[in-house]
Amino acid sequence: LLALSLTAAAASTVAAGCAHEPSCLEDGARCEEIDICEGVLFSCGSGDGAAAVEIGTVAELGVDLDGAEGAGADVVMRNALVTVVIDQLGEPRDLAPSGGTIIDFGPRGGADNVVQIYQLTGILPDDAFEYTRCDTRAAAGRVSVTCRGHLDDRPRVDVATVYELRACEPGVRVRTELLNRSPDAHAWFVGDAAHWGDRNVAPFAPVAGQGFDTPELELGELQDSWGAYPYVLARGVNGDGAQYGFVPCDRRELEGVNDTQVSALGTPRQLVRDGERVVLERFIATRRGAGLAAIVATVLPLRAQLHGDPPAVAITGRVTVGGAGFGGDQRRAMVVVSDGDRPIAEAVPGADGSFALIAPPGADLRYEVRSFGRVAASGSAGAVTDLGDIEVPAPGTSTISVVDDTGTPIYATVHLHPVDDGTAVGAAGSFYDRFGECTPWLGPPGGPSPACNRVLVTPQGVTIELPAGSYLAYATAGPDWTMAETEIGLPEGGSDNVELALARLDVAPPGWLSADLHVHGRASFDSSIPDLDRVLSFAAAGINVVAATDHDQVATYEAAIAAAMIGDRVAVMPGVELTPLIPWLDVQGEDIPRVVGHFNFWPMPYDASLPRGGAPWDEKLEPGELFDIVGPLIGEDGVRMLNHPMSDTIFGRHQGYLKAIALDPRAPIPPTDDGTNQGMLARSPRGGARNVDFDVVEVYNGASGGELVIHRLAWHALLDNGYVRTGASNSDSHSLSDAEIGMSRSLVHTGGTLADFDAAAFNRALKAGDVVAGSGIVVLVTVGSPVGERRGLGFDPFIPEPGDTVDIEVRAPPWIPVTEVRAVTSRGAVVIASGDDLVQPPDPYGTAGVVRWTGRLRVTDLVSPSVDDWLIIEAGIPLLDIADLDDDGVPDTTDNNGDGIIDDADVEEDEDTGPIAVPAPADAGDPRWTMSRVMTDPWPIGWTNPILVDWAGNGWGAPGVGGVR
Amino acid sequence: VRALVAAAVVLASTATARAQAVAPCDDAALLAPADVGIRDTGFDAPAPACARRGVYVTGRGHALVDTADFYGTLAASSWIGARWVLPGSNSDHEFELGARVVDLRFTQTAVITVTETTIGPIYAGVSLFPTRIGDDHAYRLRLRAELDYTNTAYDGLAAGALAENAFTTRISSTLAWHNRLALLAFRTSPVDGPQFRTAAAASTDLGQSLSRNWSLAYGLEAQTGWYGYGATALDHLLARAAARVRLAGRHDLALTIAIPLAGEERTNAVVALGWLIER
């Protein structure tokens, strides 16, 4: 028996050595023998260049895709139908540590809706493919890029991926191999992660109960979302032209998850043991078109070739209004076809309302037509494939303009809200139940105007279609203007002209520039608002200065500013929001490592020839390291901002650094790195900048207004400990609908105007603390002798003389409520004015009552003379009530069940604490009602930056936590 | 470790007088080392220099929980096999044929769980040069190899093999001391020819009978090479122990545990329950 076994082993070894399979793991001709996706055949059309296929660098060939990021030495492959860009080695991006991934992909001359497609075996840092070498190859009728390497930090796990583009093919053939040469068995799946970005692309899974309604992805519950798919489709949410399809070649199904954040598709989850190899071949197609019809027509024949699927059937129909064809835009009509409860295809009808798509044969065909996001018609056709005419309600048409008090048209934003319950129900819509519901749904919330329930209005006016009904239209041009309201009543097919008039208010005084230092546009992976609409939104909100802070990408908006001809209204400082994604930072008391959160930097040099426009890679770096790396790029006057410092996790990643390190604001921050979590702030990871060496703290973030309380708490804790940083307010807007530009802003006192804007001077004033900020309320303060010299804000210590006073003026547009004024020091907040002390504007839509309160108080009445302290003046309504249920020093839960008590009953299921949620105003009796017509989750507040009171004139000393050194 | 070594020394030093007319391989099954392996297919399990005969059924549990890497594996496996002996002039020749009948393995990372059931491999073993040296010592070279194509966990070829020099010294009538030097090899052929992994192990074990029907075994093993020969040279230093009871009719029941104490090995523990019917 032993002889038998040994003989068998020897024979099999010899056999294995002689007849080994071709592989691409090692360089050589054997890789080229492999016919990836064998059996797939596309025929070439006629015409010049139809059979062309080429490969080169971006520098050589350029990239003809809208929204492409490829630059310099990135590799372009293209034929007559598609363009694909593989990023160069040594340029990590997102979770991919090396380059060698697809960063641009789309139909020639069309849109690139792919953030990135990269290979992985899981979601842990070591599960990413790290390519160490990429080779290009050109042969007759085909070109390819072959990248080889290993798993990140697992050098004994070899990986290789071949991207092959052949002439006349509408996509790339991709083969990935993985060989585990390590002794350990691993639980992996080998596949692609297609990073969609959450607002750009919707995946479509043709399985029961899904279609576009794929389960929301929870990283900790990945198993629950896991599924097997014959193919997976995806399309741009904004109907801007790129669709994608993933088809397995070497197996019948792809397994994985689909979400608007990411699709991860590949092999089944399996144990990959010592010496095991896994291979995956797939075809990734792309087509142009608003709906999925074109990509379905590509994918189904592919499956028939590869897997013998039965021939698809043609389904036709026409969407009509009053018997006339109605379509040409997904706002007007989108059609999804199902076989029973399994969605199988989708189309956006053409301008004549007709649609034609192919779909897998089904005996129980059903259709659903959405018009303005709501289900406008549905039915069952059984086995009949001509659905005939499908009638939907006619929309109304409204032409909207906004003028100032001289009758001159201006830039503004108009928000629509339903007046009655019938409109509220009948006009509520969404993109196939994804990306949130809007009433009315005028377009995808993350897309161009009109988006969700709002529309940008330029001086030329705008005409929109909307579901018939009664609406209140609210116009806003930011806190320096009044708000206007008017009613729109539109029957089906009706039309009207609406003009809303706004008046400029004296809210922001001369010499102060209105700034938003945290905005996102098309360059961000999670934003799809066109650049033109992005910059128009600045003009429509009265923002003077913008820091362009796209995720991991330097952008300038320069072309859009020029195209919109608003260079005299908005100054843009190119910047970046470094957004690490890989959890790696060990924090005491926590099992799972963390990312360090988000930081903004500006001004950044923009270089289109560099990856990410010149932004550095930011993974696995402490803040101090980021500051050291970015410092030379932004220069001495550049700004480093700690964004939303206490924000919780999204997709398992911490958004704020202070939350990531579990800052306890009740405890002192050690002056040196003592090994504690708090001590990390004083750490200088590279011997240069410390982790605490940011210049600005984002205290109000428009995308998470409810977190104001905890960001403010953290900022004050830094001040207590002597880390004096500017507190800013920004929108963090990613679209027209998520965080309204202008409603959370910082006013920086430069003493000049936009016409003489100087970025360096602006940034110096910002870093010096000569700033007031908030959500539309402006608090102006001077300190000094009541009869002599006075000074304003700034971090130069203020040395009071006896009798010195603090003079305060609170301004706000009449539509923003102010019910109290507070003086805040390390010892807490004291209300210094409230109730009848303040002016209450008689009409929220009027011009009267901008100045809400003026007061003069002695410095000694506000700051205890016993110890140096900082002094901030705030105004607004009382802070949102949040309790600290887990007693970690950071409030975490609001009264989410509305019973007046914050307790465990308010906590989200399966969570220990939270969430923090701003209650929506129930009716017009709520002081926030008017403001909430044009702002999501508003919380009225304005604050000054701190005045550092140095009683003895011997240098300002930090008061310590709670005023206790 | 220190406690284990101390206990072994004490037991050895306090052993009763030299065995009287006891051959080194008497009660070989009862005084065998704790015979459990760390590797998934168990081919690295030690054996005494003394031949054993009979049939056995073993169930094994394997646990690996690596919190830092968010990785865990729990496995349950069963073996069945037979050993038979051809008498020799100076010692006996042992042959073995067995199989891992089934392996049920649950693996979890931070986000992925995988459960797999596999069958095989079949393996065969033989002792070579069995020699009795003097009254107290026995030696043999044992080879054991798994058969290709018999392990469904692998699509292609995969087999582990062991060459083991085993020395058994009968210290007393109740105490046997086992030492071994072993070479391990594992070969797969996933692509472009075979891949090999090798390791060398040294171990020392004591088998001690407590009564006619009860015995204990305990030992230490060090291994190198499986995870590399460079900076990661120590695969493991493990401690293992077994408790055996002899039931009526020469049925032995053995509970065995192995715990890696140091080295690259991430396995926390292996526990086996075996039933041997000695013939």
Side-chain angles (χ1 to χ4, degrees):
Chain A
L1 280 169
L2 181 70
L4 174 67
S5 68
L6 293 177
T7 303
S12 60
T13 299
V14 172
C18 293
H20 58 263
E21 291 179 50
S23 168
C24 290
L25 287 165
E26 296 177 4
D27 194 10
R30 299 302 308 276
C31 176
E32 296 166 10
E33 294 174 12
I34 299 171
D35 184 6
I36 302 170
C37 292
E38 185 177 7
V40 169
L41 184 64
F42 288 93
S43 59
C44 277
S46 58
D48 291 343
V53 60
E54 56 188 341
I55 188 169
T57 64
V58 171
E60 294 164 350
L61 300 179
V63 187
D64 57 354
L65 299 175
D66 179 34
E69 296 176 56
D74 296 336
V75 177
V76 184
M77 297 190 292
R78 65 190 183 197
N79 59 20
L81 300 175
V82 304
T83 297
V84 57
V85 178
I86 314 296
D87 60 344
Q88 58 194 286
L89 281 182
E91 289 299 339
R93 188 182 295 259
D94 284 359
L95 292 175
S98 65
T101 69
I102 294 175
I103 56 168
D104 300 315
F105 185 39
R108 284 292 298 270
D112 163 31
N113 278 325
V114 164
V115 175
Q116 190 177 20
I117 299 175
Y118 57 97
Q119 291 72 47
L120 41 63
T121 58
I123 64 158
L124 300 176
D126 292 349
D127 294 337
F129 282 38
E130 180 177 358
Y131 296 115
T132 55
R133 175 182 172 184
C134 286
D135 301 304
T136 61
R137 178 171 175 262
R142 67 181 65 178
V143 294
S144 64
V145 177
T146 302
C147 295
R148 299 180 175 90
H150 48 77
L151 289 189
D152 197 11
D153 289 336
R154 294 189 198 276
R156 289 189 285 189
V157 182
D158 297 345
V159 296
T161 294
V162 183
Y163 307 96
E164 183 180 271
L165 180 66
R166 301 187 185 183
C168 312
E169 295 195 344
V172 286
R173 301 172 187 233
V174 188
R175 175 187 172 92
T176 295
E177 295 181 41
L178 174 146
L179 172 59
N180 181 14
R181 296 183 194 273
S182 78
D184 294 327
H186 296 273
W188 283 330
F189 91 109
V190 175
D192 300 308
H195 187 185
W196 302 127
D198 201 27
R199 292 183 177 92
N200 303 340
V201 173
F204 180 95
V207 295
Q210 293 198 22
F212 283 113
D213 195 14
T214 54
E216 188 173 351
L217 192 57
E218 293 287 343
L219 286 187
E221 298 164 4
L222 203 62
Q223 301 281 120
D224 299 339
S225 308
W226 201 265
Y229 313 94
Y231 55 90
V232 170
L233 311 175
R235 79 166 175 93
V237 174
N238 302 320
D240 53 1
Q243 319 157 7
Y244 302 97
F246 292 75
V247 182
C249 295
D250 59 353
R251 62 200 69 229
R252 288 195 62 85
E253 292 181 320
L254 291 169
E255 290 198 11
V257 294
N258 291 289
D259 181 79
T260 54
Q261 291 258 18
V262 66
S263 286
L265 298 164
T267 66
R269 294 157 292 171
Q270 64 185 100
L271 267 181
V272 183
R273 294 174 171 82
D274 184 3
E276 271 198 288
R277 183 178 66 142
V278 183
V279 178
L280 172 68
E281 291 189 1
R282 62 282 192 198
F283 193 96
I284 309 177
T286 183
R287 285 292 198 186
R288 186 194 299 258
L292 289 174
I295 197 71
V296 172
T298 299
V299 161
L300 294 183
L302 261 179
R303 277 205 59 91
Q305 291 179 2
L306 287 162
H307 307 297
D309 285 5
V313 296
I315 298 172
T316 57
R318 189 174 76 125
V319 176
T320 60
V321 163
F326 184 70
D329 187 316
Q330 64 174 353
R331 294 180 168 95
R332 287 183 152 195
M334 305 183 284
V335 183
V336 68
V337 176
S338 303
D339 179 16
D341 66 347
R342 184 170 77 96
I344 52 178
E346 188 253 4
V348 173
D352 63 354
S354 65
F355 60 90
L357 50 83
I358 71 166
D364 182 18
L365 287 181
R366 302 174 190 181
Y367 64 88
E368 180 183 280
V369 180
R370 285 181 180 246
S371 183
F372 298 96
R374 72 223 200 272
V375 178
S378 61
S380 178
V384 175
T385 54
D386 183 2
L387 304 178
D389 283 358
I390 304 170
E391 182 74 6
V392 299
T397 303
S398 186
T399 298
I400 303 172
S401 59
V402 180
V403 299
D404 65 13
D405 44 6
T406 68
T408 304
I410 62 172
Y411 293 95
T413 306
V414 170
H415 299 237
L416 298 174
H417 294 273
V419 171
D420 51 59
D421 291 344
T423 303
V425 172
S430 65
F431 180 92
Y432 295 112
D433 300 324
R434 305 310 305 261
F435 308 108
E437 185 179 85
C438 304
T439 310
W441 188 86
L442 304 175
S449 174
C452 193
N453 66 333
R454 59 204 66 183
V455 56
L456 281 172
V457 180
T458 65
Q460 291 73 41
V462 65
T463 299
I464 59 170
E465 289 183 323
L466 68 167
S470 296
Y471 302 94
L472 283 171
Y474 297 89
T476 177
D480 294 320
W481 293 79
T482 58
M483 245 180 78
E485 175 196 56
T486 192
E487 185 164 344
I488 298 175
L490 283 173
E492 286 189 14
S495 64
D496 66 1
N497 287 284
V498 175
E499 182 179 278
L500 296 106
L502 301 179
R504 181 174 272 285
L505 302 170
D506 190 17
V507 175
W512 296 73
L513 292 177
S514 168
D516 191 336
L517 307 169
H518 190 173
V519 299
H520 296 271
R522 181 76 173 83
S524 287
F525 63 76
D526 56 354
S527 175
S528 59
I529 182 173
D531 280 356
L532 184 62
D533 283 6
R534 177 76 295 168
V535 300
L536 287 174
S537 71
F538 305 146
I543 289 293
N544 308 130
V545 180
V546 166
T549 53
D550 287 301
H551 293 295
D552 298 329
Q553 176 77 34
V554 180
T556 69
Y557 305 141
E558 188 175 345
I561 293 278
M565 295 186 290
I566 56 171
D568 59 338
R569 294 170 176 270
V570 181
V572 176
M573 298 182 289
V576 67
E577 180 177 23
L578 294 183
T579 311
L581 297 170
I582 298 175
W584 68 277
L585 182 70
D586 289 327
V587 174
Q588 288 179 14
E590 303 297 335
D591 292 333
I592 299 176
R594 297 177 166 185
V595 299
V596 299
H598 301 181
F599 291 86
N600 278 2
F601 300 89
W602 72 86
M604 288 283 292
Y606 172 69
D607 187 339
S609 68
L610 294 176
R612 302 176 294 275
W617 199 55
D618 53 16
E619 300 294 348
K620 302 181 185 178
L621 296 170
E622 291 194 62
E625 294 174 285
L626 294 176
F627 304 155
D628 285 341
I629 292 168
V630 180
L633 299 174
I634 61 175
E636 188 177 342
D637 292 322
V639 182
R640 305 160 293 188
M641 185 169 79
L642 169 62
N643 299 347
H644 33 70
M646 298 298 283
S647 285
D648 212 339
T649 59
I650 293 179
F651 219 53
R653 273 82 177 181
H654 277 81
Q655 309 294 293
Y657 177 60
L658 299 183
K659 176 76 170 180
I661 64 170
L663 177 83
D664 183 348
R666 302 168 301 188
I669 298 172
T672 57
D673 179 12
D674 61 355
T676 64
N677 290 339
Q678 313 257 112
M680 239 186 285
L681 281 164
R683 187 152 74 212
S684 175
R686 292 188 176 182
R690 298 171 300 171
N691 292 329
V692 75
D693 284 341
F694 39 83
D695 307 300
V696 178
V697 176
E698 187 175 68
V699 179
Y700 195 107
N701 176 287
S704 53
E707 293 178 343
L708 161 70
V709 173
I710 54 175
H711 299 328
R712 172 182 175 274
L713 189 64
W715 180 41
H716 292 174
L718 290 171
L719 296 174
D720 286 349
N721 286 276
Y723 297 112
V724 178
R725 306 289 183 266
T726 299
S729 173
N730 305 305
S731 70
D732 195 6
S733 172
H734 288 69
S735 69
L736 292 178
S737 60
D738 69 329
E740 293 78 4
I741 296 281
M743 298 305 172
S744 36
R745 63 178 186 172
S746 302
L747 297 181
V748 180
H749 186 214
T750 64
T753 65
L754 187 61
D756 55 20
F757 175 71
D758 173 11
F762 174 91
N763 289 330
R764 283 195 296 272
L766 174 70
K767 293 198 287 187
D770 204 353
V771 177
V772 298
S775 54
I777 300 170
V778 175
V779 182
L780 302 171
V781 166
T782 61
V783 291
S785 166
V787 294
E789 190 176 350
R790 303 188 65 79
R791 54 159 277 187
L793 299 176
F795 293 148
D796 288 339
F798 168 60
I799 305 168
E801 298 290 336
D804 275 0
T805 62
V806 181
D807 288 6
I808 303 165
E809 181 174 310
V810 177
R811 304 181 184 186
W815 45 276
I816 295 181
V818 181
T819 60
E820 67 179 31
V821 182
R822 301 179 289 266
V824 189
T825 67
S826 66
R827 301 179 178 219
V830 175
V831 174
I832 54 177
S834 63
D836 293 339
D837 299 337
L838 286 81
V839 172
Q840 296 304 327
D843 176 8
Y845 302 104
T847 58
V850 167
V851 177
R852 306 298 179 87
W853 186 72
T854 57
R856 167 169 288 180
L857 295 95
R858 289 183 300 178
V859 177
T860 50
D861 291 339
L862 302 177
V863 182
S864 169
S866 62
V867 63
D868 288 356
D869 210 333
W870 48 268
L871 171 66
I872 290 172
I873 305 297
E874 292 180 341
I877 65 174
L879 294 171
L880 180 62
D881 194 13
I882 311 180
D884 179 12
L885 293 187
D886 61 2
D887 193 31
D888 66 351
V890 182
D892 45 51
T893 308
T894 43
D895 180 18
N896 300 314
N897 62 6
D899 65 356
I901 303 167
I902 303 175
D903 54 17
D904 289 342
D906 295 299
V907 176
E908 198 169 27
E909 191 176 347
D910 298 329
E911 300 290 340
D912 297 328
T913 62
I916 293 174
V918 176
D923 52 40
D926 189 308
R928 295 180 298 129
W929 174 262
T930 309
M931 189 181 184
S932 72
R933 303 297 83 192
V934 295
M935 183 178 183
T936 308
D937 297 338
W939 203 266
I941 189 169
W943 69 83
T944 67
N945 265 269
I947 294 169
L948 308 180
V949 180
D950 174 13
W951 289 109
N954 57 351
W956 181 78
V961 175
V964 180
R965 290 183 200 245
Chain B
V1 175
R2 188 177 300 166
L4 197 68
V5 172
V9 170
V10 169
L11 282 167
S13 62
T14 58
T16 55
R18 296 287 300 239
Q20 298 299 315
V22 177
C25 290
D26 285 354
D27 289 329
L30 205 58
L31 294 178
D35 53 347
V36 63
I38 288 289
R39 305 266 65 83
D40 292 347
T41 57
F43 73 91
D44 56 330
C50 304
R52 295 171 294 176
R53 71 193 74 199
V55 295
Y56 58 86
V57 175
T58 303
R60 191 182 92 153
H62 177 276
L64 189 167
V65 180
D66 186 343
T67 304
D69 287 336
F70 310 106
Y71 181 82
T73 292
L74 298 175
S77 317
S78 68
W79 278 260
I80 186 168
R83 302 185 190 100
W84 61 96
V85 172
L86 294 181
S89 58
N90 194 26
S91 188
D92 299 336
H93 299 266
E94 179 193 292
F95 296 86
E96 182 178 17
L97 182 65
R100 186 176 64 166
V101 179
V102 66
D103 180 72
L104 176 63
R105 194 160 292 265
F106 170 82
T107 300
Q108 179 165 0
T109 68
V111 292
I112 292 178
T113 61
V114 177
T115 303
E116 282 191 6
T117 303
T118 59
I119 296 172
I122 297 171
Y123 55 87
V126 64
S127 61
L128 302 175
F129 318 117
T131 306
R132 179 173 167 180
I133 306 168
D135 291 338
D136 302 330
H137 307 285
Y139 163 81
R140 67 169 170 166
L141 170 64
R142 187 172 72 106
L143 301 178
R144 173 176 150 154
E146 296 168 349
L147 274 61
D148 273 326
Y149 300 113
T150 63
N151 185 353
T152 64
Y154 285 85
D155 291 335
L157 307 178
L162 170 77
E164 176 186 66
N165 290 284
F167 304 84
T168 293
T169 299
R170 192 60 173 253
I171 296 175
S172 73
S173 59
T174 59
L175 205 57
W177 184 19
H178 309 280
N179 293 284
R180 74 162 185 161
L181 294 171
L183 295 176
L184 287 72
F186 182 69
R187 191 230 33 203
T188 60
S189 297
V191 59
D192 278 3
Q195 284 195 93
F196 290 96
R197 187 173 308 288
T198 60
S203 63
T204 184
D205 295 78
L206 287 172
Q208 181 189 21
S209 63
L210 303 178
S211 69
R212 282 175 55 86
N213 297 324
W214 284 90
S215 71
L216 297 174
Y218 21 82
L220 292 170
E221 176 180 279
Q223 180 182 300
T224 183
W226 195 261
Y227 292 91
Y229 289 98
T232 56
L234 180 62
D235 296 334
H236 62 241
L237 173 65
L238 68 76
R240 59 189 171 219
R244 296 191 179 90
V245 59
R246 173 149 295 174
L247 307 174
R250 303 189 73 78
H251 290 229
D252 289 354
L253 204 57
L255 179 64
T256 311
I257 184 169
I259 300 176
L261 305 170
E264 296 293 311
E265 182 61 52
R266 294 193 297 164
T267 296
N268 301 105
V270 177
V271 178
L273 182 64
W275 179 29
L276 171 69
I277 306 173
E278 193 173 352
R279 297 297 180 201

